């Protein structure tokens, strides 16, 4: 799994095995485990892009999730070796949607996909205030997507 039909390159790739803690009693991946895998890849990419979550939170900012979509095309099991890819799916003025693909090594198609939309926001005790995405974050996201387009609301 490298580029997709739309020509997008992954922001991040990772290979790992499904661990016991990610499965249920039948040794099948617990439905929420891929959310943790996707968040881990997203956090790693944010660090490399210069937008570490810890740094954002210290500045009173964040990227809270506002929508998640899980699609399971095949069963993942204990000890399956997975190729994982994080890609930009869409971009708007205040939010971005990432797609995490999880494929059994050697398979051309992902067994599972997770789409997660996050909004850039000021975080306070009282509320969240959506803000425009920083230009540098947009540039880094668009650097891994072809064609690069900013979709305005």
């Amino acid at each position: 799994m490298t580029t997709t039909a739309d020509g997008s390159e992954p922001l991040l790739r990772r290979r790992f095995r499904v661990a016991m803690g990610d499965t249920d009693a039948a040794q099948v991946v617990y439905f929420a485990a891929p959310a943790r895998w996707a968040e881990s890849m997203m956090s790693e990419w944010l660090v490399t892009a210069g937008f570490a979550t810890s740094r954002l939170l210290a500045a009173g900012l964040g990227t809270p999730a506002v929508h998640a979509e899980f699609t399971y095309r095949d069963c993942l099991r204990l000890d399956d070796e997975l190729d994982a890819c994080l890609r930009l799916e869409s971009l708007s003025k205040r939010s971005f949607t990432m797609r995490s693909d999880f494929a059994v090594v050697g398979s051309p198609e992902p067994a599972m996909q997770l789409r997660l939309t996050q909004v850039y926001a000021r975080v306070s005790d009282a509320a969240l205030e959506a803000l425009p995405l920083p230009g540098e974050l947009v540039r880094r996201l668009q650097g891994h997507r072809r064609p690069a387009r900013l979709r305005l609301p």
Side-chain angles (χ1 to χ4, degrees):
M1 256 183 2
T2 54
T3 59
T4 57
D6 69 357
S8 66
E9 286 289 331
L11 295 166
L12 182 74
R13 289 187 187 127
R14 185 183 282 172
R15 184 172 279 189
F16 64 96
R17 286 196 184 277
V18 174
M20 178 65 102
D22 292 329
T23 64
D24 59 20
Q27 299 180 359
V28 173
V29 166
Y30 176 65
F31 82 96
R36 189 175 64 254
W37 304 338
E39 191 280 328
S40 176
M41 289 195 307
M42 179 62 188
S43 292
E44 183 177 336
W45 183 82
L46 283 170
V47 167
T48 64
F51 290 87
T53 302
S54 59
R55 190 175 132 229
L56 290 174
L57 292 173
L61 301 167
T63 57
V66 294
H67 180 79
E69 178 183 327
F70 295 73
T71 303
Y72 293 87
R73 294 188 172 92
D74 205 351
C75 183
L76 295 173
R77 296 184 174 276
L78 178 65
D79 294 328
D80 280 349
E81 187 176 16
L82 303 180
D83 278 327
C85 292
L86 177 70
R87 290 185 168 83
L88 176 65
E89 179 94 350
S90 64
L91 186 61
S92 72
K93 186 176 179 183
R94 291 180 169 83
S95 67
F96 53 92
T97 300
M98 298 297 223
R99 187 182 82 225
S100 298
D101 296 331
F102 301 98
V104 174
V105 169
S107 174
E109 297 296 322
M112 191 278 156
Q113 289 183 318
L114 187 149
R115 287 175 176 82
L116 185 65
T117 301
Q118 294 173 262
V119 65
Y120 188 72
R122 186 177 333 282
V123 181
S124 70
D125 293 337
L128 296 174
E129 175 192 356
L131 302 172
L133 293 170
E136 183 60 23
L137 180 57
V138 170
R139 281 188 290 283
R140 291 187 180 265
L141 287 165
Q142 288 180 327
H144 293 275
R145 182 173 183 211
R146 204 179 59 210
R149 295 181 301 216
L150 179 61
R151 190 182 78 226
L152 299 174

